Amino acid sequence: MESTYIFGHKSPDTDAINSAIIMAEFEQLNGNTSAKAYRLGEVGPETQYALDYFKVEAPELLSDDLTGKDVILVDHNEFQQSADSIEGANIRHVVDHHRIANFHTAGPLCYRAEPLGCTATILYKMFNEKGFDIKPEIAGLMLSAIISDSLLFKSPTCTEQDKDAAKALEKIAGVDAQEYGLEMLKAGASTLNKTAVELINADAKSFNMGDYTVRIGQVNTVDLNEILGRQAELEQAITETLNNAEYDIFVLVATDILNSDSAILVLGEDKDKIAQAFGVELDNNTAFLPGVVSRKKQIVPPITETLS
């Protein structure tokens, strides 16, 4: 039987990695024994903390040509965020919580998108709807993804459904969500041992907005100065990225996970329009955005509106 490839987006975060594993488990329970989780990038320290804690192996890095292959997308749908050969694949199923854009298929498919804080919350609902038992390690991965995407339930993207799912999952996983979640987020927030190139690419996504292609990277930290103090080397890495790729603007978002604020570093064509989107002015290519933590809900929409 041909394999079914399951994966999240490029530069995968905890939800992208974990949801691929969770969806593979769902498919196996549903009779699709060929289902297998993959990843489209390196595993970050936050995600690795969760995988190690719940003793789950990271998915294999996807290197196959997907032309003619059956695939399931989780935590994304936009083709520029997906595998390089995605346009030739047979997309059978999508489970996502983001906007729908630049997406098309040759045939019908199952598509489930809900405006929740995390793809793993949708998968939790799918398990319950089917009456499937959730193993403790799968519950732990679901909980970890919810904590990651919601910044421990502080993000405006976090819904009551996410919180209710987390309460149920922490019991199955056998952890305290607040204690475990803070340690997991801290594991992913240290930036001192990362290069500038790693920082700007670790959690970056590309978006088509009007006539612009915008690259938006996000870095979580417990100290914004840890990021902003490296502005010169970050700008060099961003400039090289802009010169080597078809991006018009690069926005690096540094998010303080303890105080729920962010700072942005912006380079590229019409960079001042990014500041305009937030009603601020750039000072030496940077601006402070109080109360902004969510790329999906607080960063992408105003930039899209301004550039479109």
Side-chain angles (χ1 to χ4, degrees):
M1 181 183 293
E2 287 286 334
S3 294
T4 300
Y5 296 75
I6 305 175
F7 48 88
H9 52 76
K10 292 178 178 177
S11 302
D13 57 8
T14 299
D15 193 23
I17 295 286
N18 289 8
S19 288
I21 298 170
I22 297 162
M23 188 67 190
E25 171 77 1
F26 179 88
E27 286 292 298
Q28 291 276 344
L29 291 171
N30 210 31
N32 182 2
T33 57
S34 70
K36 182 177 177 180
Y38 291 86
R39 57 184 169 89
L40 300 187
E42 297 305 311
V43 178
E46 176 192 283
T47 309
Q48 193 62 58
Y49 180 93
L51 294 173
D52 290 344
Y53 192 98
F54 294 105
K55 297 179 173 59
V56 178
E57 291 290 327
E60 179 184 336
L61 183 65
L62 180 61
S63 59
D64 294 355
D65 184 344
L66 297 176
T67 302
K69 305 292 187 181
D70 288 350
V71 305
I72 296 174
L73 308 184
V74 293
D75 199 37
H76 76 297
N77 66 83
E78 298 186 52
F79 280 7
Q80 70 268 24
Q81 298 176 9
S82 197
D84 293 339
S85 53
I86 190 62
E87 293 202 34
N90 300 320
I91 302 175
R92 300 302 189 191
H93 202 156
V94 177
V95 182
D96 192 18
H97 70 129
H98 296 95
R99 71 175 192 172
I100 301 172
N102 308 314
F103 177 85
H104 62 272
T105 62
L109 75 161
C110 295
Y111 198 115
R112 181 154 180 172
E114 297 189 40
L116 301 179
C118 182
T119 299
T121 303
I122 305 173
L123 292 169
Y124 168 75
K125 294 171 66 176
M126 290 168 58
F127 270 72
N128 288 335
E129 289 162 5
K130 283 285 189 177
F132 292 156
D133 288 335
I134 301 175
K135 299 173 184 175
E137 63 270 25
I138 294 296
L141 296 186
M142 288 178 174
L143 178 62
S144 299
I146 295 171
I147 289 170
S148 176
D149 267 15
S150 70
L151 285 180
L152 203 53
F153 318 116
K154 293 179 182 179
S155 171
T157 61
C158 188
T159 69
E160 289 303 314
Q161 290 189 53
D162 296 298
K163 294 176 183 177
D164 290 343
K167 287 179 182 177
L169 290 166
E170 67 178 342
K171 295 178 182 177
I172 301 172
V175 298
D176 179 275
Q178 289 292 333
E179 293 180 3
Y180 165 77
L182 185 58
E183 292 305 311
M184 186 192 77
L185 291 176
K186 285 181 177 179
S190 177
T191 64
L192 297 176
N193 62 342
K194 297 178 182 177
T195 68
V197 172
E198 288 171 335
L199 286 176
I200 69 171
N201 290 314
D203 184 10
K205 294 182 179 180
S206 302
F207 301 89
N208 293 327
M209 300 175 175
D211 295 329
Y212 298 86
T213 299
V214 183
R215 184 77 164 167
I216 304 178
Q218 188 167 24
V219 180
N220 290 340
T221 182
V222 293
D223 181 3
L224 288 178
N225 290 326
E226 193 175 291
I227 305 295
L228 297 178
R230 302 175 62 181
Q231 183 173 346
E233 59 178 308
L234 289 170
E235 288 194 0
Q236 181 179 348
I238 291 172
T239 299
E240 290 176 359
T241 298
L242 289 171
N243 290 338
N244 295 329
E246 296 181 356
Y247 307 131
D248 301 303
I249 305 173
F250 196 112
V251 183
L252 180 64
V253 184
T255 298
D256 183 334
I257 63 173
L258 298 182
N259 297 307
S260 300
D261 297 316
S262 292
I264 55 172
L265 172 61
V266 189
L267 293 177
E269 180 183 342
D270 292 334
K271 63 184 179 183
D272 287 332
K273 288 186 177 181
I274 303 299
Q276 178 186 336
F278 299 103
V280 298
E281 292 185 2
L282 293 178
D283 180 7
N284 190 27
N285 297 327
T286 68
F288 181 66
L289 303 180
V292 172
V293 297
S294 170
R295 174 170 49 195
K296 182 179 71 172
K297 192 166 185 176
Q298 295 175 297
I299 296 171
V300 170
I303 296 177
T304 302
E305 182 177 356
T306 299
L307 296 184
S308 298

